[in-house]
C-alpha cells in the first residue's frame, strides 16, 4: 500500500490530489495553531511531505512527517477520529516497507480499530487490511492473511462495485494466499476471477499477463501441461502485442513455452521456443554469461544430447525474466506494487 494523502474535513476521508508544493519540506515549520483552517493546512502539508519522502524511499523522514501530522490531528480531533486512523495507516505502510513488520502491525490494527469504531468504510480501510494480510503472510500466518483479504474484498465491493482494478488485485492476493495454504483449486478460481476483472477494467495489460502466468504455473504443478501451455501461450501473445517481438520479457515467455513443450515431449516445438528466446536475448545484447542465456544454452544442449525429451527440471520465469513464476508475489495497495511472500 502506498500512503495516501487525505482531506482533513469533517466528512471527507480518502485519496485526494496533493496540495503541497516544492520539495516536500514545507510541513517542517508548522506547529499547532488556534486557527482550525491553518491546522488543517499544516496537517495536509505534513502528510504530503510524508508521502513524498515515502516515494523517495526515505522512510525515516516519511515517518517523521506523518507523526507530526498525527500529533496535530490528535490535538485537534481527539484520538479516535477517522483522520487519525488514516495517518496511523500511512505510518504502518511506511514501517512495513521499511521492514519493521511488528511495529507496522500495531499501527495498522489501531487504524482499523478506529475506522470500525467510527463506522468508516473507505479505501484506507481496504489498504490497511491489505497490509495486515501482507504482514501475516510474512510470518506464514496464511489463514489470518486470508481472513483479512476476504474482509478487504467486501469493503472494496461496497465502495467500488465488482469491476475495479483494486478488486482484481485483491482477488489476485487471495489466489496467492490460497496457493500458500495448499488449496490449488481455490487459488486457480481466485486467479481466474481476477483475470476476468482485470480484462474488463484494463484490457490485455501486463497485469493480465502476470495472472495468466500464475494460472499456467499452477496448472503445470498439477500436471495439466496442456492447460498450462494454453495460458502461457496466451500470455506470450499479449506480450508480443504490447511490447513487440524482440523484447526481453517476450524472450522469457518463449522460454516458459519451451519448458512446457518439453514436458509434453514435443521436441520440435521445444527447440523452436528455446531458439527464438535465445535469439531475442542476443539481439538485446545479452552475452553468453548472462543467467538467462546460460539457462537456455543448457536446455538446448540437453535437447540435442538426449535426442528425445528426457526429464528436465521445469522452472518458469515471470514476464520480467526474473525468477520463477512459481514464486508468487502478493500485491499491496491498489495495483501499484507487490512484495514477495
Amino acid at each position: 500500500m502506498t500512503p495516501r494523502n487525505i482531506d482533513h474535513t469533517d466528512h471527507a476521508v480518502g485519496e485526494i490530489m496533493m496540495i503541497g508544493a516544492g520539495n516536500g519540506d514545507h510541513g517542517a515549520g508548522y506547529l499547532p495553531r488556534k486557527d482550525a483552517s491553518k491546522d488543517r493546512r499544516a496537517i495536509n502539508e505534513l502528510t504530503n511531505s510524508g508521502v513524498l519522502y515515502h516515494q523517495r524511499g526515505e522512510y525515516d523522514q516519511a515517518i517523521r512527517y506523518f507523526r507530526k501530522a498525527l500529533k496535530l490531528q490528535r490535538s485537534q480531533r481527539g484520538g479516535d477520529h477517522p483522520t487519525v486512523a488514516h495517518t496511523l495507516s500511512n505510518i504502518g505502510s511506511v514501517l512495513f516497507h521499511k521492514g519493521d513488520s511488528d511495529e507496522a502491525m500495531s499501527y495498522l490494527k489501531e487504524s482499523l480499530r478506529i475506522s470500525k469504531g467510527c463506522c468508516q468504510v473507505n479505501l484506507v480501510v481496504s489498504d490497511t487490511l491489505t497490509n495486515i494480510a501482507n504482514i501475516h503472510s510474512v510470518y506464514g500466518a496464511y489463514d489470518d492473511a486470508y481472513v483479512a483479504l476476504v474482509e478487504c474484498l467486501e469493503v472494496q465491493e461496497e465502495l467500488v462495485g465488482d469491476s475495479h482494478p483494486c478488486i482484481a488485485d485483491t482477488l489476485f492476493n487471495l489466489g496467492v494466499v490460497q496457493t500458500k495454504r495448499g488449496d490449488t483449486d481455490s487459488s486457480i478460481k481466485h486467479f481466474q476471477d481476477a483475470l476476468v476483472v482485470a480484462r474488463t477494467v484494463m484490457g490485455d495489460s501486463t497485469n493480465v499477463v502476470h495472472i495468466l502466468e500464475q494460472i499456467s504455473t499452477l496448472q503445470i504443478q498439477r500436471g495439466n501441461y496442456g492447460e498450462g501451455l494454453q495460458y502461457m501461450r496466451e500470455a506470450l501473445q499479449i506480450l508480443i502485442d504490447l511490447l513487440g517481438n524482440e523484447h526481453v520479457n517476450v524472450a522469457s515467455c518463449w522460454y516458459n513455452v519451451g519448458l512446457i513443450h518439453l514436458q509434453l515431449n514435443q521436441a520440435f516445438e521445444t527447440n523452436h521456443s528455446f531458439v527464438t528466446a535465445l535469439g531475442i536475448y542476443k539481439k538485446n545484447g545479452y552475452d553468453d554469461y548472462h543467467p538467462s542465456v546460460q539457462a537456455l544454452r543448457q536446455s538446448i544442449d540437453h535437447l540435442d544430447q538426449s535426442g528425445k525429451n528426457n526429464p528436465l527440471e521445469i522452472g518458469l520465469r515471470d514476464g520480467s525474466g526474473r525468477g520463477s513464476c512459481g514464486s508468487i508475489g502478493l500485491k499491496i495497495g491498489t495495483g501499484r506494487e507487490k512484495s514477495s511472500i
Side-chain angles (χ1 to χ4, degrees):
M1 180 193 86
T2 298
R4 294 176 179 270
N5 305 93
I6 52 178
D7 179 7
H8 292 278
T9 63
D10 288 332
H11 304 291
V13 180
E15 187 171 17
I16 63 166
M17 294 296 292
M18 291 180 63
I19 63 170
N23 63 7
D25 291 326
H26 299 295
Y30 281 102
L31 296 173
R33 303 169 186 265
K34 293 182 181 180
D35 187 321
S37 65
K38 290 182 179 180
D39 285 332
R40 284 196 296 272
R41 179 170 177 79
I43 292 167
N44 275 318
E45 293 285 355
L46 289 164
T47 300
N48 291 346
S49 296
V51 171
L52 288 171
Y53 276 117
H54 177 269
Q55 292 170 346
R56 297 174 186 172
E58 299 180 42
Y59 298 133
D60 289 337
Q61 282 288 75
I63 291 169
R64 173 171 169 251
Y65 281 105
F66 284 139
R67 283 178 173 160
K68 284 178 176 284
L70 182 64
K71 184 176 180 180
L72 272 177
Q73 288 167 330
R74 282 174 166 165
S75 68
Q76 295 296 318
R77 302 296 181 91
D80 285 353
H81 192 270
T83 56
V84 171
H86 198 155
T87 301
L88 288 168
S89 183
N90 279 349
I91 295 172
S93 175
V94 178
L95 287 167
F96 174 73
H97 283 91
K98 189 182 175 185
D100 295 338
S101 296
D102 289 339
E103 191 175 1
M105 182 66 90
S106 67
Y107 277 94
L108 294 168
K109 285 185 174 180
E110 180 65 6
S111 171
L112 195 60
R113 180 194 68 77
I114 293 171
S115 293
K116 288 182 175 180
C118 298
C119 298
Q120 288 285 317
V121 177
N122 51 49
L123 290 178
V124 175
V125 173
S126 74
D127 282 346
T128 301
L129 286 164
T130 300
N131 268 349
I132 287 173
N134 269 284
I135 295 172
H136 283 312
S137 296
V138 167
Y139 290 114
Y142 299 117
D143 291 347
D144 293 331
Y146 183 79
V147 170
L149 287 171
V150 169
E151 184 177 354
C152 176
L153 184 64
E154 292 172 351
V155 169
Q156 291 171 335
E157 287 177 339
E158 181 178 345
L159 290 170
V160 299
D162 58 6
S163 292
H164 188 277
C166 69
I167 301 294
D169 284 341
T170 301
L171 288 167
F172 181 93
N173 291 345
L174 284 165
V176 171
V177 171
Q178 290 299 75
T179 299
K180 297 295 186 178
R181 295 174 82 196
D183 191 342
T184 304
D185 289 341
S186 177
S187 180
I188 290 174
K189 175 65 165 57
H190 285 306
F191 284 136
Q192 287 173 335
D193 289 344
L195 183 62
V196 171
V197 177
R199 278 188 155 150
T200 299
V201 298
M202 292 178 279
D204 282 341
S205 63
T206 53
N207 281 349
V208 168
V209 170
H210 191 53
I211 297 169
L212 288 166
E213 289 174 332
Q214 305 313 312
I215 299 173
S216 175
T217 300
L218 290 173
Q219 293 290 1
I220 290 166
Q221 289 172 357
R222 298 174 73 180
N224 298 331
Y225 296 109
E227 290 188 53
L229 178 61
Q230 179 181 345
Y231 281 106
M232 192 61 71
R233 290 196 70 90
E234 192 173 351
L236 174 62
Q237 187 57 56
I238 295 172
L239 280 176
I240 290 172
D241 292 342
L242 291 173
L243 305 174
N245 288 298
E246 298 182 357
H247 195 281
V248 291
N249 292 5
V250 174
S252 297
C253 206
W254 269 116
Y255 178 66
N256 292 341
V257 169
L259 287 173
I260 302 171
H261 280 301
L262 184 68
Q263 300 301 310
L264 290 167
N265 293 322
Q266 298 171 339
F268 176 82
E269 292 84 355
T270 302
N271 186 69
H272 171 73
S273 299
F274 287 165
V275 170
T276 301
L278 182 60
I280 296 171
Y281 282 135
K282 300 298 281 186
K283 286 181 180 178
N284 281 273
Y286 286 28
D287 61 29
D288 289 338
Y289 298 101
H290 191 281
S292 296
V293 174
Q294 289 182 334
L296 272 165
R297 293 269 188 214
Q298 179 186 3
S299 300
I300 293 170
D301 289 345
H302 172 88
L303 208 58
D304 291 340
Q305 292 168 8
S306 65
K308 59 180 180 178
N309 294 320
N310 291 329
L312 179 69
E313 183 178 356
I314 187 165
L316 300 186
R317 297 172 178 270
D318 67 20
S320 64
R322 299 186 302 270
S324 166
C325 281
S327 177
I328 301 174
L330 179 60
K331 291 188 177 182
I332 57 181
T334 53
R336 291 180 289 274
E337 42 192 326
K338 64 179 181 179
S339 66
S340 281
I341 65 173

